[in-house]
Amino acid sequence: MIQVSSRCLGILGSGISHSLSPLIHNYSAAQLGIGAVYLRFDSVSRQFPGPDFFRAMWDFGAFGFNVTVPFKEEAARTFLRSGLVSVNTIYRGNNGWEATSTDAEGFLLGLAQLGCGLDDHEAIVFLGNGGAALALYEHFLKVTQKPLVVLRRTPERDASWQKPLGRVEFRDLDAGTLNAVCQRYPRNLLVQTTSAPLYGDRLDYLLPGLGSFQGTFVDLVYGKTSALLDDLKARNIPVQDGLPMLIGQALLGQKLWWGKSTEFSDVESMLRSRAP
């Protein structure tokens, strides 16, 4: 319940009417007895908020913010002290706003729900090279020695990515290339990171590239997943949509904002029960 004393927090993005973050965090605040209201800050102009916004929100006592497309990399440039290339969480520090990314740790919390981890796979293959992929990639470089393969349609973004020799490949995103990668690493962890399914592109053209795939597939999109998830699920290959990662990110953010969080299973049950 919103009260006069409720403090705000919210998600910063553009075209985010589909976001489940308000549902997750308002539910969690109620469960935890925290006076908070979580809002969407949806930028029609696709402009990331400037210093005046953050000063005002600090003075108003806001708990903090999530950052989503298309602002994760711009948020990192705004909050340089984070030392990150992609930011998805802003929280109150001792002397001002601090920023971090819970993307990778949230992803691993979600992956654990399938009973596996990074080192259970021959390689990690990313479809897409946007902000979400970059945050995972940077973390995976530090925590595993597995080969990393990035298949993308926008090679001009590659300049932002570290490229350790012998560990990383950047290649074009098409069915032929995906097929070649899956033949070399059939038991790879395949991560669909693009937002294309949200805009009606279900990535059907990549289906011929999955013939040799025997690994684990995670689609970071939820609600409107790719045709890849449906095809692999029908083949009884382990798959996961973006909800577990979203929940993992959310709970880590709550601990930064509130010092505690709700239970993963409670949030997932609430969200799945509301699905159409």
Side-chain angles (χ1 to χ4, degrees):
M1 179 183 296
I2 300 175
Q3 301 174 341
V4 173
S5 59
S6 295
R7 295 166 59 186
C8 81
L9 64 167
I11 184 167
L12 309 175
S14 183
I16 54 174
S17 61
H18 67 282
S19 174
L20 293 177
S21 292
L23 181 59
I24 292 172
H25 293 298
N26 287 323
Y27 166 83
S28 297
Q31 294 294 108
L32 295 169
I34 293 171
V37 56
Y38 189 102
L39 306 169
R40 290 186 184 89
F41 294 87
D42 197 342
S43 173
V44 176
S45 65
R46 296 177 68 84
Q47 297 294 311
F48 187 66
D52 289 347
F53 172 85
F54 288 106
R55 277 194 293 267
M57 290 295 103
W58 181 273
D59 292 341
F60 289 153
F63 282 112
F65 304 93
N66 287 128
V67 183
T68 189
V69 291
F71 296 144
K72 290 185 175 185
E73 290 165 86
E74 188 167 354
R77 292 190 291 270
T78 299
F79 295 96
L80 290 173
R81 286 187 302 176
S82 72
L84 300 172
V85 294
S86 176
V87 156
N88 80 332
T89 304
I90 300 168
Y91 62 98
R92 296 180 77 91
N94 292 330
N95 299 303
W97 293 114
E98 300 286 350
T100 190
S101 176
T102 64
D103 276 333
E105 291 184 29
F107 176 88
L108 294 176
L109 283 174
L111 189 63
Q113 306 304 305
L114 290 176
C116 63
L118 299 181
D119 290 336
D120 295 311
H121 301 88
E122 296 173 315
I124 300 149
V125 180
F126 296 94
L127 304 183
N129 63 342
L134 181 55
L136 299 183
Y137 175 89
E138 291 278 330
H139 187 75
F140 296 169
L141 279 176
K142 300 173 185 175
V143 301
T144 182
Q145 292 300 310
K146 297 292 183 177
L148 304 177
V149 182
V150 181
L151 307 182
R152 75 290 191 249
R153 291 186 286 196
T154 51
E156 60 271 17
R157 290 179 179 167
D158 293 354
S160 302
W161 296 57
Q162 299 181 56
K163 304 176 186 67
L165 289 176
R167 285 201 56 201
V168 177
E169 293 180 54
F170 286 77
R171 302 181 65 180
D172 290 338
L173 177 57
D174 57 58
T177 304
L178 178 59
N179 182 58
V181 170
C182 288
Q183 286 182 340
R184 190 173 8 143
Y185 303 117
R187 298 188 181 280
N188 73 71
L189 173 60
L190 183 59
V191 188
Q192 196 301 100
T193 74
T194 78
S195 59
L198 293 175
Y199 304 101
D201 179 0
R202 301 197 68 229
L203 305 175
D204 304 73
Y205 72 97
L206 293 174
L207 288 173
L210 294 175
S212 301
F213 182 71
Q214 301 172 35
T216 304
F217 178 78
V218 180
D219 193 329
L220 299 192
V221 174
Y222 55 86
K224 295 181 179 180
T225 50
S226 67
L228 310 182
L229 185 143
D230 294 337
D231 178 80
L232 294 172
K233 184 176 182 180
R235 287 167 49 186
N236 293 317
I237 285 176
V239 300
Q240 186 177 81
D241 66 9
L243 274 185
M245 177 178 172
L246 179 68
I247 296 167
Q249 294 170 321
L251 302 188
L252 292 166
Q254 289 172 13
K255 290 177 180 177
L256 291 170
W257 298 325
W258 304 330
K260 56 185 176 180
S261 71
T262 42
E263 294 294 327
F264 191 107
S265 58
D266 291 344
V267 177
E268 184 172 31
S269 294
M270 180 273 293
L271 292 175
R272 300 289 185 193
S273 70
R274 292 171 178 258

